[in-house]
Amino acid sequence: MSIVIPQWSPPTVPVEGTEAQFPVRRIYCVGRNYAEHAREMGGNPEREPPFFFMKPADAIVTDGRMTYPSKTADLQHEIELVVALSHGGRDIPVADALDCVFGYAVGLDMTRRDIQGELKAKGRSWEMGKAFDQSAPISSLVPASRIGHPQRGAITLAVNSQPRQHGDLSDMIWPVADIIANLSGYVTLQPGDLIFTGTPAGVGKVERGDRLDGAVEGVGELSVRIVG
Ligand code: MN
């Protein structure tokens, strides 16, 4: 087969403690999945159905260096547990959902908050606030075969060693199995899909030169420098 432009390979995430890589197909993200964060965003902390948005697969950053993006003066951090799928399907029952999980990582849903705010106010799509280049820094993936399926434990982020975000996985409004089940009602999930599962309270602004240190208890750590 001939192709008319240079072929690219899927972006990949390293698997912790191995030489293996996990190829990324799509990145789904859950909005407002911790009540305290829903409140700080001026939203409803009640248990409404989860809502989703996406980032492009090549938004992942695996080398710990994120270039400050264009068109914003309010780049913000959102530390999140990331789920990586080894199996997919549609209309997946909650009881079967965790069988689809390959493993977990620590991720940052980096957000151009000023752009997101303008789009929100106009009732437009969030994409240019959320789905931009290098907007998804991520740690190595840890297989569920090694750590199980973490359902509680601290999720934290510090900027330049100052604590910013703190929550617990048990505070998720929609736990991982529910997210997978619900999302699979909208789209057919596939091996290679990542799901960013929402952020706890304490989101805030970062600047060039800042160092972000995130952690999810029982999963791992993620350090990112903002450059450029
Ligand atoms: Mn988020």
Side-chain angles (χ1 to χ4, degrees):
M1 182 188 69
S2 71
I3 51 170
V4 297
I5 57 169
Q7 182 76 54
W8 61 90
S9 303
T12 61
V13 181
V15 178
E16 181 78 27
T18 73
E19 298 293 305
Q21 299 278 326
F22 178 94
V24 179
R25 174 180 176 265
R26 291 182 182 172
I27 303 175
Y28 296 100
C29 303
V30 184
R32 291 183 189 165
N33 199 27
Y34 292 76
E36 282 303 320
H37 172 64
R39 272 185 214 104
E40 78 180 346
M41 297 305 289
N44 182 356
E46 300 305 311
R47 199 175 196 241
E48 293 177 341
F51 71 92
F52 302 100
F53 59 93
M54 295 181 72
K55 291 177 186 265
D58 67 357
I60 61 165
V61 171
T62 56
D63 68 356
R65 290 171 66 83
M66 178 191 178
T67 302
Y68 196 96
S70 61
K71 305 278 189 188
T72 186
D74 191 10
L75 177 65
Q76 295 203 0
H77 53 76
E78 296 190 359
I79 190 72
E80 310 203 356
L81 173 71
V82 182
V83 182
L85 300 188
S86 54
H87 298 81
R90 46 189 282 200
D91 296 323
I92 299 166
V94 173
D96 298 340
L98 294 182
D99 296 339
C100 298
V101 176
F102 170 78
Y104 296 90
V106 183
L108 279 162
D109 165 15
M110 298 302 290
T111 303
R112 296 194 280 211
R113 192 74 71 199
D114 41 3
I115 294 182
Q116 184 197 25
E118 290 163 20
L119 295 169
K120 226 187 249 183
K122 291 177 178 168
R124 292 179 179 166
S125 150
W126 288 8
E127 259 145 351
M128 290 300 114
K130 286 286 194 181
F132 52 92
D133 298 346
Q134 302 190 16
S135 59
I138 188 169
S139 71
S140 299
L141 276 168
V142 188
S145 59
R146 196 185 315 160
I147 59 167
H149 299 280
Q151 308 201 337
R152 57 191 54 77
I155 174 169
T156 59
L157 183 84
V159 178
N160 303 327
S161 303
Q162 301 300 308
R164 287 270 189 96
Q165 291 190 260
H166 189 278
D168 195 284
L169 299 180
S170 62
D171 296 335
M172 282 189 189
I173 297 170
W174 294 93
V176 171
D178 297 69
I179 292 169
I180 292 170
N182 196 287
L183 180 56
S184 73
Y186 289 96
V187 290
T188 304
L189 295 172
Q190 299 280 2
D193 291 343
L194 298 180
I195 306 171
F196 281 60
T197 58
T199 199
V203 300
K205 193 172 175 179
V206 296
E207 305 288 355
R208 291 172 179 82
D210 283 351
R211 181 191 161 100
L212 285 61
D213 291 297
V216 177
E217 193 178 347
V219 176
E221 297 179 348
L222 169 65
S223 286
V224 176
R225 176 78 69 178
I226 308 296
V227 299

